[in-house]
Amino acid sequence: MNLYKSKGLTEIINASGRMTALGVSTPRAATLEAMASAGQNFVILHELMDYADQEISKFTGAEASCPTACASAGIAISVAATIAKENLLQIETLPQVLDGFKNEIILQKGHAVNFGAPIETMIRVGGGKPVLAGQANKVHKEHVIAAINERTAALFYVKSHHCVQKGMLSVEEMAEIAHNHQLPLIVDAAAEESLSKYGEAGADMVIYSGSKAIEGPTSGFITGKKEWIQACHLQYLGIGRAMKIGKENIMGLLTALADYKEERTAEEIETMKAWAERLAIELNALPGFTASVVQDEAGRAIFRTAAKVDSAVVGMTAADLVARMKEADPAVYIREHYVNTGVLTFDLRSVQETDLVKITAVIIGCLER
Ligand SMILES: *Cc1c(COP(=O)(O)O)cnc(C)c1O
């Protein structure tokens, strides 16, 4: 029996993909077993941190890596590292900045997004002062260069579907500007699949979430150049302590990384398509529904079921139906990106096979209500 349900909490069928508000991902059995075993024994924490540093770096190809509680903590810690570096007094005083230390963090205006909390807030937690360059939908190199001054500590790039996707400078362009001014570039790649791409593009530190693409426990890491990662580790003597990662989560993260594949196998893709097709056939049998399999808008190898709802036939709008589905038992959460155009999108990557068959039944129940 689902532990949450046994405590009176809502049982969820997650057809939305990965959503922090639903608990992000469900780690594999091997990850959970490693966490249980790690929790039952003591370890010298700095030995574990050094071991994790080396292990994570094997997967990212970077010089060094620093485990964090989550990607948000990774933002705060990497920013703190560019301000305090290895200076103990400044490390212990952050997020207050001592005289003579630089703390301006430049990011493109179209990257100042909210991923559930504002990027800018996480920068401030690390003692940084966000400085936005350019306009929300257009940034020229000149905008970023003009924002650099003697108080600048780093440039910051956000790689995410939340960001404005056009008119922004690339990672390579931001890296070039940063390095021409002897500044580091931090890349927030929290939910990205490639663990090596952004370091190769010139980033000095790259931040990942352990629970998104990697499907590990609540965790994260910063990976990149040794001099900066060393400074990241030292921030645990200051602000990092308020966001420490436990030994179990470090071992869970490493186990999830060992199982993680950046690219899905042909077989996995075929299964994903077959499931999406199965759901489309079921939904097409409902009056007012026209369903088909669609590929991810960004061209990733993700296949979903898209169902257009004719509100005149169905007797309610797609948005009303979605609201009812969230109140059902079990509650079905879907991807809501196109609900305003009458389209329900089902991302089945986090759905168990035993739950797949329940989705159509829940929808029929909502229509009859
Ligand atoms: C999800 C996300 C974060 C935060 O990740 P957590 O691991 O939940 O802290 C940060 N930045 C971006 C772009 C994200 O998508």
Side-chain angles (χ1 to χ4, degrees):
M1 161 105 161
N2 176 328
L3 178 63
Y4 300 117
K5 188 174 177 173
S6 76
K7 305 295 180 196
L9 305 178
T10 306
E11 184 185 353
I12 301 288
I13 296 177
N14 176 14
S16 71
R18 293 195 186 89
M19 243 167 76
T20 297
L22 295 179
V24 205
S25 58
T26 49
R28 282 173 283 270
T31 299
L32 297 170
E33 279 160 23
M35 292 175 72
S37 172
Q40 284 161 2
N41 294 284
F42 294 102
V43 63
I44 298 171
L45 207 64
H46 75 81
E47 270 185 20
L48 177 60
M49 287 298 261
D50 288 349
Y51 171 72
D53 177 322
Q54 289 168 22
E55 288 298 305
I56 295 167
S57 304
K58 285 183 193 162
F59 297 109
T60 65
E63 291 171 12
S65 306
C66 177
T68 58
C70 56
S72 309
I75 299 174
I77 288 174
S78 60
V79 164
T82 66
I83 298 168
K85 299 188 177 130
E86 303 193 6
N87 183 298
L88 185 64
L89 287 185
Q90 178 60 92
I91 289 170
E92 290 186 338
T93 312
L94 282 176
Q96 269 183 44
V97 181
L98 297 170
D99 283 348
F101 284 81
K102 308 160 193 270
N103 76 327
E104 292 189 3
I105 308 293
I106 300 172
L107 66 163
Q108 304 181 76
K109 208 165 203 175
H111 285 190
V113 296
N114 184 310
F115 57 80
I119 291 276
E120 290 177 84
T121 300
M122 301 310 135
I123 291 175
R124 288 194 192 96
V125 169
K129 179 180 171 198
V131 172
L132 305 187
Q135 291 102 39
N137 63 348
K138 190 72 209 167
V139 180
H140 291 289
K141 285 185 183 173
E142 288 77 2
H143 290 133
V144 176
I145 292 167
I148 296 175
N149 62 48
E150 70 285 355
R151 294 179 303 279
T152 307
L155 267 51
F156 196 97
Y157 187 100
V158 183
K159 175 73 184 130
S160 165
H161 67 276
H162 295 296
C163 294
V164 175
Q165 300 297 330
K166 58 182 176 62
M168 298 294 118
L169 299 175
S170 66
V171 176
E172 287 85 352
E173 288 169 318
M174 287 289 277
E176 190 190 341
I177 298 171
H179 298 153
N180 283 343
H181 293 81
Q182 284 76 51
L183 293 168
L185 173 68
I186 303 169
V187 173
D188 173 7
E192 296 305 303
E193 293 178 346
S194 171
L195 302 182
S196 56
K197 190 167 157 181
Y198 307 101
E200 285 163 13
D204 295 275
M205 287 178 270
V206 189
I207 299 154
Y208 289 91
S209 177
S211 58
K212 290 182 175 173
I214 298 160
E215 297 185 303
T218 301
S219 58
F221 58 88
I222 309 161
T223 189
K225 303 267 165 61
K226 194 162 197 138
E227 60 163 314
W228 293 113
I229 298 297
Q230 267 173 358
C232 288
H233 280 285
L234 287 173
Q235 305 310 313
Y236 280 108
L237 300 172
I239 59 145
R241 184 56 186 249
M243 37 187 108
K244 97 175 163 186
I245 175 168
K247 58 189 183 304
E248 319 75 21
N249 289 33
I250 293 176
M251 291 313 293
L253 169 65
L254 296 181
T255 310
L257 272 169
D259 285 343
Y260 174 63
K261 291 186 288 310
E262 289 182 12
E263 309 233 332
R264 286 173 201 86
T265 62
E267 194 187 334
E268 285 166 339
I269 294 170
E270 280 317 306
T271 304
M272 195 189 326
K273 273 190 197 163
W275 284 31
E277 185 61 33
R278 206 163 119 188
L279 182 61
I281 291 169
E282 287 181 20
L283 294 176
N284 273 326
L286 304 180
F289 279 69
T290 314
S292 60
V293 176
V294 293
Q295 189 170 356
D296 178 61
E297 315 79 329
R300 293 176 295 177
I302 302 169
F303 294 86
R304 306 185 174 100
T305 310
K308 173 95 183 158
V309 177
D310 183 341
S311 56
V313 177
V314 169
M316 67 183 87
T317 65
D320 290 337
L321 178 56
V322 167
R324 286 191 184 196
M325 286 159 65
K326 288 187 196 168
E327 284 168 10
D329 181 20
V332 175
Y333 279 71
I334 62 152
R335 201 164 182 262
E336 298 185 23
H337 295 41
Y338 304 105
V339 168
N340 59 349
T341 65
V343 177
L344 313 184
T345 317
F346 300 81
D347 185 320
L348 302 174
R349 287 176 294 167
S350 300
V351 175
Q352 314 271 340
E353 191 154 19
T354 47
D355 283 343
L356 180 61
V357 294
K358 296 182 192 164
I359 293 176
T360 310
V362 169
I363 293 175
I364 292 171
C366 292
L367 295 173
E368 284 168 353
R369 228 173 12 109

